[in-house]
Amino acid sequence: MSLLVPLAAALLVSTAQFPLATQVQLPSGETVELAADFLTYEADKQLLTARGHCELRTGEMLLRSDEVTYDEANQVATATGNVMFVGPGGMAAVADDVRVDIRGFEATLKGGLFMQKKGVTQEAMLAAKSPEELRSMGETPVLLSGSRIRRTGPNAFVVDDLAFTPCECGPDEPSWRMEASSANVVLGERATLSWPVVYVQSVPVFALPWVYLPLSDRRTGFLIPSPSASGLNGLSVQQPFFLTLGRSYDLTITPGYYSGSGFENIPIELDVDGDPATPPVPTSYRQPKLFGVKGPRLLTEFRYVPSERTRGRVTLGLLHDSRPLRNPTTSTFYYHPLVTGEPPRYVDVPRGWRGEASWQHLQDLGSGWFDRVDAAFVSDGFYTRDLNADILIQGVDYLRSTATVYQRQADLYAGLDVSLRQDIRFPYLFFQENRVPAGADNPRGLSVLPRPKTFQRLPGIVFSLPERPLDALGLTGGLRTEFTRLAPFTGGFGDEGFDGIFRPDGRYVPFGGRPEEAYNWPLDLGQSNGIFDPGDREARDRIDFTSRLSTSVALGRAARLTPSLSLRQDVWAGEFTGKTWQRGYAIAGLLLDTQFTRTWEGKSAAVRHAITPSLELRYVPGGWGTVPFVHTPEGDLAQPYDEIDHAVPLTRGGATRGFLQGVLSVEQTLRLKTGSWIREPLRLRIGQGFDLTRYVPAANKAPDVDEQPVWRDTFARLSTSAGILNGGAMVRFDPNTGRFTQLSADFAIDDGKGHALYARYDNILSVSDLAFVRGEPRNALGPDSLRRPLDALVGGLSRETPGLFASERTQALIAGTRLMLGFGLGVRYEALVQPPSQDPTNREITENRMFNPLTQQTLGVSYGPACDCWRVEGVVTLRRDLGLEFSGVNFTVAGLGSFGSGG
């Protein structure tokens, strides 16, 4: 839009400055030349007439027409017949007739069309011989027409009957346009349109009484409003306002309102008199939907780019939610105490103010120093779930924020970082007390409900010397030292209770406790009691020291041997108890590999095929010391926190279990080189893991180590790329149980022309949630990549504890496609497939899930012209638990942006 008015203004100025002779010096100092086949001047009428191939040139501007007349007495200039105008910056115009009143600074046009050209030089435009030739040149991202243009100031104009199209449509038949009865324009600043109407293929789509449009990329003004509709939050509308704050800063303020998704009926069987002999009466009660919001919202986004080395964005959102407050211990509403014969009544206390904030920042400080922030915070655990109906977004359990300042050089890394997490599994408030509202049923008698204390990395300090040659013997060495403080924000310990796990209802789950007996489980009196109990996790400081030496020895031309020796030493200090622990161990490694290659040379390309067999062994003879542990009636119990604490297999008390492990693999690669461009169409690695611990002397072996089999996971990993196709696959198989522990695959086909097909499938054998509740560790089952310790080559056995629920397969398939079907019609579809939950005893589908593996489906049907300068799309979404909903309409206009519901 910013190029439309300068084009009209240039035409007005040029046609208003016709000379009275073939060459005239204007007051501005500019020389204007007029040439034609026939030129006359009638002195009595003060009329200049030029006919036949008329050309008027003013510097970089050119006006051509069949005839030009200038009435000196009335100061009116007229150009008729095949009028063409070429100006600087790609400006061009064609018209049948142009009449300019110089005294009133007013131009009247007939058949006028103004164009902004790109992809063509001005010299080529000046050489155009006809309007048709000028129209067809290059690309036309902007089209403008108007019946009258009147100048009201140095850079201000009024345009009547304005019609414009800011897109690359053909100049003859634009597929869409915006028309307005009049427009007030200030060059380079803004345009205000009165009663604008958007037409698509001559069909009016929508109209507004008034529109303000900025005429540059960084102009203060209102942006396109964004209405939407969803089953989660009902109808909503947002109106962004863009505010410039200088060349390097801007602010977008977006007020909005959510109408809410209404109420639902909950079926129940009502006990009318409390007599067990009286059968319950089926009925229902009405309450608001559990998820979603209702009320006004204000979102502010601040962006800054003060220099080429610094950029960032800060957002702050505030929402006043009038939906009822939720009970974080049950994730449902608060209810009044039950009354016999009456349905439940929720406590109608509004949630009140809620909000979000984020900060993304990246800066090059110079001399190899950088800083980076990627932070996001929400006011409560269900804020994201309430604003996003997407199943994948709702499944996120933790919100992670990081900030770091570091120096990175070729032979050195040093950094200070902070990592924060918000536990968003439960609807707890994070920045205010979780008070139980008056009148609510409160069996625990607590006025304030304690929330979980998530452990943060506050801070982490890393110093690393990457491996480098040390001497002429071929030795290489590296060193890494890390200080980590893992602690909650307050209190010095997590206060999880005797079982070491925070549970919203405060219950203690005995090992083997059945889920159907959950209401009879005892309360964990140690949870959130403010006393450091044996199961509580305390804040810890840790120093981790890791060093490595290695060398490489060629075994003739057949193979290569790479031995290595590493050492890891850790020291912990408990901030609350003052206790200290230390754990250390040595790691011996040996890698034997060889490679067979063959190359085919062509005139313009070369193909290289390589086969690389390898055998890697890793040996830890045992260690000294233990990781931090706690005393329990059953003995000492290790209490590791993160992947460094879990770096090697541990005994129950936290000592290092020695091991000898190996991986035998064969890798094949296919590489294609064309000129200086190298790509890898195929890479395949097949391997077998094994554990020989039972055959070697190692300290602190597991009690049943002699009974463990040697073979561990068999795996295969494939990645491929061929033109528009990219794909990969991963398979892990446990030969001891005969089960696949992981099946993963993904592919994408995209031709870059609007056609695409993509999918990803994951099938992982994992611990069932019910078994985890009854005490099974999360890493007892699953693919090797999930349960392998940091310094080990293979993981433990895929086992199931007798007496607990069997393992289950976690499966998910995400597949989608985008198609352009011709005639401007487009279709996109995406589906998330997850099998429904099953009852662990009879393996039947549970009653609260429909027998439908399609968790979420999204279908969008769109239409737009071949130039794709505008596109309208209707979106529907089908979710397994919410049913079918119309997600709304998205309307995208090139040069103006888009509005709608997304989806």
Side-chain angles (χ1 to χ4, degrees), residues 757-797:
L757 180 66
Y758 59 92
R760 177 172 181 85
Y761 174 71
D762 289 290
N763 184 327
I764 298 175
L765 185 68
S766 61
V767 178
S768 69
D769 288 338
L770 295 175
F772 171 68
V773 167
R774 293 172 60 182
E776 183 74 280
R778 284 282 188 186
N779 60 352
L781 287 165
D784 183 79
S785 59
L786 297 180
R787 52 188 166 84
R788 179 175 64 87
L790 185 64
D791 288 335
L793 286 181
V794 300
L797 295 171

Side-chain angles (χ1 to χ4, degrees), residues 90-149:
M91 294 182 293
V94 296
D96 297 331
D97 299 291
V98 177
R99 183 179 183 275
V100 180
D101 185 341
I102 298 175
R103 289 176 298 186
F105 296 102
E106 184 176 298
T108 303
L109 301 92
K110 180 181 179 181
L113 181 65
F114 305 89
M115 297 171 286
Q116 174 68 39
K117 291 287 186 178
K118 72 176 185 178
V120 60
T121 64
Q122 187 179 22
E123 290 75 14
M125 295 170 61
L126 292 172
K129 301 300 183 183
S130 66
E132 291 75 16
E133 183 179 354
L134 183 61
R135 290 182 186 185
S136 62
M137 284 184 170
E139 299 176 356
T140 309
V142 175
L143 294 173
L144 167 69
S145 65
S147 63
R148 186 172 63 176
I149 303 176

Side-chain angles (χ1 to χ4, degrees), residues 20 68 91 106 109 207 210 220 264 284 346 407 421 430 440 513 518 551 630 667 671 677 699 701 717 827 860 892:
L20 299 179
V68 174
M91 294 182 293
E106 184 176 298
L109 301 92
W210 179 83
T220 297
E264 61 182 346
S284 64
Y346 65 91
Q407 185 181 50
R421 294 193 311 165
F430 292 118
T551 187
V630 294
E667 185 173 71
R671 293 187 177 183
W677 181 53
K701 292 183 181 179
R717 183 184 296 113
V827 177
T892 302

Side-chain angles (χ1 to χ4, degrees), residues 325-326 328 334 351 353 379-380 427-437 447-451:
L325 189 66
R326 278 180 295 238
Y334 284 100
R351 298 169 188 166
W353 288 106
S379 60
D380 57 90
Y428 283 98
L429 305 177
F430 292 118
F431 304 106
Q432 55 184 308
E433 291 182 332
N434 291 270
R435 289 193 168 273
V436 179
S447 60
V448 177
L449 300 177
R451 59 175 174 262

